[in-house]
């Protein structure tokens, strides 16, 4: 099984797949716990589509890095949004709908492995086919 191109396409996800097709998607910020930015939102939207289209995946595991699933914001990247009117939120809203549809369109079992607090986008784990949570998950 060759290494898919999308493994190197998304800077906020570390991908690892074994010979059985078990794909681990480890969400991160600079290899540490996620500090959520618009880049994460865009990456996850595209990655879920690519993962769902890859027939070499037999199981997908989505997890965080370190002791958190997704629990922190990095507000510096959100300043570019036009907050002055509701239409300024439309691009992120449309992308968010695609993110969830792409996740739900993955046609192999998806396991949400919640390794700690999941106060941001907890639905990624909850909408998985199986959700496992560590004792310190919230």
């Amino acid at each position: 099984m060759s290494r898919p191109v999308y493994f190197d396409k998304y800077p906020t996800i570390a991908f690892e797949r074994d010979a059985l097709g078990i794909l681990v998607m480890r969400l991160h910020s600079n290899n540490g716990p996620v500090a959520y930015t618009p880049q994460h939102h865009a990456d996850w939207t595209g990655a879920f589509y690519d993962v769902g289209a890859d027939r070499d995946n037999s199981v997908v595991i989505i997890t965080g890095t370190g002791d958190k699933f997704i629990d922190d914001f990095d507000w510096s990247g959100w300043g570019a949004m036009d907050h002055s009117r509701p239409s300024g939120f439309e691009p992120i809203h449309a992308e968010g709908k695609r993110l969830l549809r792409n996740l739900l369109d993955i046609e192999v079992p998806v396991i949400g492995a919640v390794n700690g607090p999941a106060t941001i986008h907890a639905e990624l784990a909850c909408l998985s086919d199986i959700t496992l949570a560590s004792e310190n998950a919230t």
Side-chain angles (χ1 to χ4, degrees):
M1 202 175 311
S2 64
R3 181 179 174 83
V5 173
Y6 67 86
F7 275 29
D8 300 313
K9 186 175 175 182
Y10 303 106
T12 64
I13 307 168
F15 294 93
E16 186 178 321
R17 182 171 61 198
D18 68 14
L20 296 174
I22 300 170
L23 175 71
V24 176
M25 300 177 66
R26 183 177 53 80
L27 311 177
H28 67 88
S29 292
N30 299 316
N31 275 325
V34 171
Y36 191 66
T37 66
Q39 179 72 52
H40 291 91
H41 206 255
D43 284 357
W44 301 347
T45 300
F48 290 149
Y49 178 84
D50 288 341
V51 166
D54 186 347
R55 298 295 169 223
D56 288 332
N57 294 324
S58 60
V59 174
V60 175
I61 301 170
I62 302 168
T63 193
T65 297
D67 60 355
K68 298 178 181 179
F69 187 67
I70 310 167
D71 190 43
D72 293 317
F73 265 98
D74 176 354
W75 290 103
S76 65
W78 295 95
M81 286 181 61
D82 177 8
H83 299 101
S84 66
R85 59 179 69 187
S87 63
F89 288 93
E90 201 286 325
I92 199 81
H93 178 255
E95 185 176 74
K97 290 187 296 182
R98 283 191 310 277
L99 184 153
L100 295 177
R101 281 193 301 264
N102 291 346
L103 171 60
L104 294 172
D105 281 343
I106 297 173
E107 295 188 13
V108 298
V110 176
I111 300 170
V114 183
N115 55 308
T119 59
I120 301 164
H121 275 302
E123 78 278 7
L124 299 182
C126 293
L127 291 174
S128 297
D129 300 301
I130 298 170
T131 304
L132 305 173
S134 71
E135 289 185 11
N136 67 335
T138 55

